[in-house]
Every structure is written in C-alpha cells, then in structure tokens.
Amino acid sequence: MLINVPETVVADALRGMAAAHPELIVDVENRVIVRRDAPVDGKVALVSGGGSGHEPLHGCFVGPGMLSAACPGEVFTSPVPDQMVRAAAAVDSGAGVLFVVKNYTGDVLNFDMAVELAEDEGIQVAKVLVDDDVAVSDSLYTAGRRGTGATLFVEKIAGAAAEEGRPLEQVESLARKVNDNSRSFGVALDACTTPAKGSPTFDLPAGELELGVGIHGEPGRERRAMMTSREIADFSVDAVLEDMNPRNPVLVLVNGMGATPLLELYGFNAEVQRRLAERGVPVARVLVGNYVTSLDMAGASVTLCQVDEELLRLYDAPVRTPGLRWGG
C-alpha cells in the first residue's frame, strides 16, 4: 500500500487534500472538511460523512452545488457526533442544516446524537437517510437497506436546491424524494484490503464473484462462478428493476468500487445501457467512474434514479467540487 503507517492513513490523506484544494478548509485534527466560503448567508447547509475508504464520497463532494461540509471517520468507521456538530456549526448561516446519512448502524446512531447536540446549540437540523441498496434487507452493518450510490444523487440534487436558496423543509423533501426514487445493486470481483488488517476483508475465491456486495464487503445475495460483463449487467439491472418500475427517465450511475479501470467500467456501461433499452427504460443522464468506492475492491455497482423535470434540472445545475464538477 502507498501509505506510511496504518494509524495515520486518514490524517495523511486529509493533509494531502488540504494541499491540493485550497478552496476547502480541511481541519486535520478535528476531521472536518468545509467549503471555504461557508457559511453562505441565507443558504441551507448540507453536511454528510462516513467512514474513510469510500472516496471521493464524502469529502471530495464538498463545494458549491453540493455539500457544505463532510466528516470523515476512520477507515470503514463512522465519524463521531462531535465532528458532525462542529461541521454543522461551521456552516450554519441560520437557515438550517440538513444531515445526509447513509443507512449504517454506526452512522445513524452518531448522526442522531449529533442532531440532539446541534439543536441544543440552537442549530435547526433535519436528517435524510439514504437506503437504496436492493441486494439485501439487512446486513452486518445495517438494519434495513444499505446506503450506497444514491448518496451521490441525494447530495447533488439537494445541494443544488440549497444553492438556489430554498428553505430547509424543501431541501429535505427533495432529498427524500431522490432517495425514494433510487435503487442500487453492486457486484464484487475481488475483496478489498483495509490498511489496519493488511489482508482481504473477506474470502472470495479466485474465479468467483459476490452478487449484491456491500461497500464494506458485506455479503450479498449469492456467490457464483465468474460471469461476463453482459451477464453481470443483466443480473444487476434486473435486480434493480425488480424493485422499481420507473415511469420517467432515469439517472444512471455506473460506479467503480475502486480497483476496476475505466476501460472495464465503460464496457460495463455499454451492457447496462443495452439492458435498460431492452427493458424499455429511458435514460436521461449517465455518470461512469469511481464515486462511491470500497478501497481497492474490484467490481461495480449500478444506481438508477427516476427523475422528473425538476429533479433533472437540479441534477444538471452547476457543481464545483474536487470529485464532481460541471456547469458554470
């Protein structure tokens, strides 16, 4: 691994982020990343966070059009409530703060505690839970569905709404609408390795894959012998569409888990688009790349989000973050 020692991996990464992105304020000691112009007068602030190892989620999604602040925990470990309250206080303009929380037990408990602490400090807070993964209903880390690729769509669309100056209740409602209209399914071709463990986090024999894997390596629906890109796309898209029946066009995220090159991801996207066309699902926008990763796991996930004109307009709105950037 390209590291010094496992104990300083997150701090070292944050120091490097600070050096690369002067538009962000990176508090290495307190583990908080804030857009430099925060708080923005009259603007609802978006705060998210989670364990490190999923980059660019969340820290690289801080900036105009997306998050106001992010709280990175240790690798695959939830940030603590003090981080979340510190982030909320740093970005609150008086218009309120929306916490975007992936559905993992540690994240949910700590963000719930942070809501209470922030409200004690006079900060108006709302919370949206992301639970888009259709692979399993419960997992090693979760009661209910896991939060995965839809987190990007929630943060992007809610961030655009906040940028327009909408009130907290509207930003919260839009974030919930995005999550309710999103579904994801992931596949692992190889296990990931955490810096602390130094070896694969789960056993996946050569020549096999895990269908429905979680972003921490949680088990999915089943293991099978290696499949072609076409077969994996059919299985993944069908698994998502079993759980949703989109009547409107969809946003498509073909997401790499960290170790799968773009050459393979674009080839996989071709198969995903073929299968969506066969199923009669119209596609509005497509995003391909590593956005919600699992360290060095090989594999990919597919996320679909059904959109109307308003959601599509907000998705297309300008965004300027280290991990996502388009528009004016």
Side-chain angles (χ1 to χ4, degrees):
M1 290 185 177
L2 189 63
I3 65 173
N4 292 317
V5 293
E7 293 77 13
T8 67
V9 165
V10 176
D12 292 345
L14 291 175
R15 289 191 296 106
M17 177 180 285
H21 298 288
E23 72 274 17
L24 302 178
I25 298 173
V26 182
D27 185 339
V28 178
E29 180 178 357
N30 293 306
R31 306 290 174 90
V32 174
I33 303 163
V34 177
R35 53 185 282 184
R36 189 167 290 278
D37 61 351
V40 179
D41 188 43
K43 176 187 175 298
V44 169
L46 266 67
V47 175
S48 193
S52 296
H54 303 304
E55 290 76 19
L57 191 80
H58 296 272
C60 294
F61 293 153
V62 174
M66 215 159 174
L67 295 178
S68 305
C71 310
E74 291 296 326
V75 173
F76 290 1
T77 302
S78 171
V80 297
D82 284 350
Q83 288 174 264
M84 302 161 186
V85 176
R86 187 174 286 110
V91 299
D92 179 36
S93 68
V97 176
L98 178 66
F99 284 154
V100 178
V101 187
K102 300 190 305 302
N103 188 31
Y104 296 96
T105 302
D107 292 32
V108 172
L109 291 174
N110 286 346
F111 269 103
D112 282 348
M113 189 178 300
V115 169
E116 296 180 10
L117 294 171
E119 288 176 341
D120 288 344
E121 295 189 9
I123 301 172
Q124 184 185 6
V125 183
K127 186 189 78 171
V128 170
L129 196 66
V130 182
D131 57 354
D132 56 303
D133 186 0
V134 304
V136 293
S137 59
D138 295 290
S139 74
L140 299 176
Y141 292 77
T142 307
R145 289 182 169 177
R146 305 174 292 212
T148 57
T151 313
L152 182 149
F153 292 145
V154 170
E155 293 176 355
K156 172 63 189 75
I157 291 172
E163 211 71 46
E164 292 183 348
R166 298 200 194 188
L168 180 59
E169 58 270 20
Q170 286 189 22
V171 177
E172 177 189 5
S173 177
L174 280 164
R176 293 187 188 281
K177 182 178 178 179
V178 172
N179 179 67
D180 291 345
N181 282 279
S182 298
R183 302 289 188 275
S184 296
F185 189 88
V187 178
L189 310 180
D190 199 2
C192 62
T193 299
T194 62
K197 191 169 188 284
S199 59
T201 54
F202 61 96
D203 177 39
L204 186 57
E208 294 186 6
L209 50 73
E210 182 85 28
L211 293 165
V213 72
I215 57 174
H216 307 98
E218 308 98 315
R221 291 185 177 181
E222 62 178 293
R223 288 188 178 179
R224 288 190 183 182
M226 191 60 65
M227 300 158 64
T228 65
S229 177
R230 182 186 185 94
E231 292 168 337
I232 295 171
D234 288 351
F235 194 101
S236 301
V237 171
D238 289 351
V240 170
L241 293 180
E242 282 173 11
D243 205 86
M244 69 185 301
N245 183 26
R247 296 177 299 277
N248 294 341
V250 296
L251 307 176
V252 180
L253 171 61
V254 171
N255 172 69
M257 295 293 197
T260 298
L262 278 171
L263 178 71
E264 295 176 31
L265 290 178
Y266 276 116
F268 182 56
N269 179 54
E271 298 298 344
V272 168
Q273 300 303 317
R274 171 195 53 77
R275 188 56 172 171
L276 288 170
E278 289 173 354
R279 295 291 302 267
V281 178
V283 174
R285 302 287 185 273
V286 181
L287 188 62
V288 179
N290 290 288
Y291 292 101
V292 183
T293 64
S294 183
L295 292 169
D296 61 344
M297 183 187 290
S301 62
V302 176
T303 301
L304 304 182
C305 175
Q306 182 178 209
V307 291
D308 54 22
E309 289 184 5
E310 180 186 36
L311 294 185
L312 184 58
R313 181 184 63 78
L314 291 168
Y315 179 77
D316 285 341
V319 58
R320 296 192 306 280
T321 73
L324 203 67
R325 183 179 295 258
W326 62 64

